[in-house]
């Protein structure tokens, strides 16, 4: 084999992890890919509602949050494919389109994130049962991310509860929400994930 052929053979060998992903772990990761896609769509729908109902800050936050969730999905897709599995792009359910107010949006967002945390814990559980410590390690990033996202949602809900129906205060909170994690800084973080 000449030098170039040897290089390409070695490159191909190293470009993919040839250990096949455990099937149960692969299925759990594929379920999580769908969950992240659904999160992205759910927040996109909320962003649209906020945009046309006079909440530009919340809308910016939710558009960025939707982008972040897409990055979470892509990160899983690449991991599954790189580890010798096959990422599945599944059909997802249609998200809610109508919301009562900002309180309603963030209550739904928190409840959604609680469900995502349960789904991530399930993937971690499968990894431990199947003794797949590599995927277990990879999933720790998602575990930490959920702690951050739930804390932020609680924080926003607390602020909204404090102001109740005070329209002036709502204006300022909407402006603040734009600068919170899911806003510009969050979009940057998601893009680098
Ligand atoms: Fe994917 O981080 Fe929340 O849902």
């Amino acid at each position: 084999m000449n030098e170039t052929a040897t290089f390409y053979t070695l490159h191909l060998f190293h470009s993919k992890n040839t250990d096949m992903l455990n099937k149960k772990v692969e299925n759990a990761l594929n379920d999580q890919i769908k969950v992240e896609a659904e999160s992205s769509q759910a927040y996109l729908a909320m962003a649209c509602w906020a945009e046309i109902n006079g909440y530009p800050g919340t809308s910016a936050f939710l558009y960025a949050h939707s982008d972040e969730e897409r990055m979470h999905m892509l990160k899983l897709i690449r991991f599954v494919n790189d580890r010798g599995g096959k990422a599945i792009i599944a059909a997802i359910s249609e998200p809610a389109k109508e919301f009562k107010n900002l309180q309603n949006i963030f209550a739904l967002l928190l409840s959604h994130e609680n469900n995502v945390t349960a789904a991530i814990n399930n993937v971690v559980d499968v990894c431990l049962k199947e003794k797949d410590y590599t995927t277990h390690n990879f999933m720790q990033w998602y575990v930490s991310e959920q702690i951050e996202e739930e804390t932020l949602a609680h924080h926003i809900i607390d602020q909204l509860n404090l102001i109740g129906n005070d329209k002036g205060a709502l204006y300022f909170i909407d402006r603040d929400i734009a600068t919170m994690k899911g806003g510009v800084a969050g979009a940057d973080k998601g893009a680098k994930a």
Side-chain angles (χ1 to χ4, degrees), residues 36 39 43 65 69 72 112-113 116 142 145-146 149:
E36 302 292 343
S39 302
Y43 301 150
H65 202 354
E69 297 298 346
H72 298 174
H112 185 86
E113 289 301 333
V116 174
Y142 289 85
E145 185 68 12
Q146 285 309 115
E149 290 185 355

Side-chain angles (χ1 to χ4, degrees), residues 61 106 110 148-162 173 176-177 180-181:
F61 172 92
F106 284 99
L110 178 60
E148 256 185 53
E149 290 185 355
E150 286 184 15
T151 305
L152 180 59
H154 276 294
H155 173 70
I156 296 174
I157 288 170
D158 286 347
Q159 291 201 344
L160 288 169
N161 286 342
L162 268 180
I173 285 205
D176 283 356
I177 289 173
M180 293 184 190
K181 183 204 150 204

Side-chain angles (χ1 to χ4, degrees), residues 62-76:
L62 290 165
Y63 275 127
H65 202 354
S66 170
D67 283 349
E68 260 199 64
E69 297 298 346
R70 181 174 158 77
M71 292 310 297
H72 298 174
M73 176 191 72
L74 289 174
K75 196 175 164 99
L76 281 160

Side-chain angles (χ1 to χ4, degrees), residues 97-109:
K97 306 188 218 23
E98 293 305 328
F99 307 94
K100 285 190 221 115
N101 48 34
L102 288 195
Q103 281 87 345
N104 177 226
I105 287 220
F106 284 99
L108 288 171
L109 185 145

